[in-house]
Amino acid sequence: KAGVTQTPRYLIKTRGQQVTLSCSPISGHRSVSWYQQTPGQGLQFLFEYFSETQRNKGNFPGRFSGRQFSNSRSEMNVSTLELGDSALYLCASSPNSRGTGSEQYFGPGTRLTVT
Amino acid sequence: GENVEQHPSTLSVQEGDSAVIKCTYSDSASNYFPWYKQELGKRPQLIIDIRSNVGEKKDQRIAVTLNKTAKHFSLHITETQPEDSAVYFCAATLIQGAQKLVFGQGTRLTINP
């Protein structure tokens, strides 16, 4: 099976803009989670989607949102970008309904730089 | 709180020696504890995991132990090889409130030939 894919791989935006990142999970996986990775804060959970519904959410402001489509592909959106949003955004899919309570398969990430 | 503490932050061992990384968690209801390996510029990859109903799990040179009473778990790598050099992350699924996977800060492991 093909692995988790993310597009785009690199993105440069300016403060105040918004951005949409895309994630395609492994075929058959219905749980998709998003994480932010930075050198200072490490890996932080953003949210998890399962069967088109947001099931869990981390401690991020409302500027961070997401959605999942019927084919399990997921997008996350960040509005009114801030310099501190510069990070590697990783999505991960999981093969069973436990989602974050089971093995996660990560995509390569989208490197977002905010200037 | 929602904490997973990981130690040490860096670890350097001679090839062939063992490496041990330790983590503690705060939520006594946590029930799933994975370990991920991330090589430079690559995605995190699951190397081993353990559930709260098991005390120890082994896969070739890698083992994980869990002490639920003390709320800590450890990764053990034996007979280390240069390709084991990477950043290792522990994680715990926190149940209180919204279920989420919380990661430790990572351990940079360097294997010296």
Side-chain angles (χ1 to χ4, degrees):
Chain A
K1 285 184 182 178
V4 179
T5 59
Q6 292 185 246
T7 57
R9 293 293 311 279
Y10 303 91
L11 207 48
I12 300 174
K13 291 285 188 178
T14 56
R15 274 181 299 176
Q17 286 187 314
Q18 75 164 18
V19 67
T20 299
L21 312 181
S22 181
C23 171
S24 292
I26 293 172
S27 177
H29 289 194
R30 289 193 291 159
S31 167
V32 174
S33 298
W34 288 88
Y35 300 86
Q36 182 195 65
Q37 186 172 29
T38 60
Q41 298 298 317
L43 271 159
Q44 292 189 288
F45 172 78
L46 279 154
F47 29 65
E48 183 214 357
Y49 285 86
F50 182 81
S51 293
E52 301 179 65
T53 301
Q54 186 181 89
R55 194 158 65 168
N56 292 296
K57 193 176 190 306
N59 301 327
F60 278 81
R63 300 185 296 108
F64 292 81
S65 63
R67 59 178 176 168
Q68 186 180 34
F69 302 94
S70 58
N71 61 357
S72 293
R73 188 177 71 85
S74 178
E75 289 180 348
M76 69 163 279
N77 183 275
V78 189
S79 62
T80 320
L81 284 165
E82 301 176 359
L83 294 179
D85 296 333
S86 294
L88 180 68
Y89 289 89
L90 293 158
C91 81
S93 69
S94 183
N96 63 56
S97 61
R98 283 175 171 167
T100 53
S102 64
E103 64 270 32
Q104 307 267 289
Y105 295 87
F106 282 86
T110 294
R111 172 78 59 189
L112 172 64
T113 302
V114 182
T115 61
Chain B
E2 302 176 350
N3 259 355
V4 176
E5 298 287 336
Q6 181 171 349
H7 299 281
S9 56
T10 60
L11 180 60
S12 184
V13 302
Q14 286 299 119
E15 183 178 352
D17 286 351
S18 295
V20 180
I21 303 170
K22 299 182 179 182
C23 290
T24 58
Y25 59 97
S26 57
D27 182 1
S28 57
S30 293
N31 58 7
Y32 178 66
F33 308 90
W35 286 87
Y36 286 86
K37 174 184 180 183
Q38 188 174 30
E39 297 176 70
L40 191 61
K42 301 271 184 75
R43 68 191 77 186
Q45 289 197 301
L46 180 71
I47 55 172
I48 195 166
D49 57 10
I50 192 168
R51 296 198 176 274
S52 57
N53 57 346
V54 175
E56 185 174 356
K57 184 176 178 181
K58 190 173 180 182
D59 182 5
Q60 299 182 0
R61 298 186 296 109
I62 295 173
V64 57
T65 58
L66 171 65
N67 183 326
K68 284 171 53 181
T69 304
K71 290 191 282 188
H72 68 68
F73 57 113
S74 301
L75 177 71
H76 305 251
I77 306 174
T78 58
E79 300 170 16
T80 52
Q81 301 168 3
E83 53 265 36
D84 293 331
S85 294
V87 178
Y88 290 80
F89 293 94
C90 65
T93 297
L94 270 56
I95 308 298
Q96 290 181 9
Q99 176 175 298
K100 61 180 92 170
L101 194 60
V102 178
F103 285 83
Q105 286 296 308
T107 296
R108 182 172 300 279
L109 174 64
T110 303
I111 308 301
N112 302 308

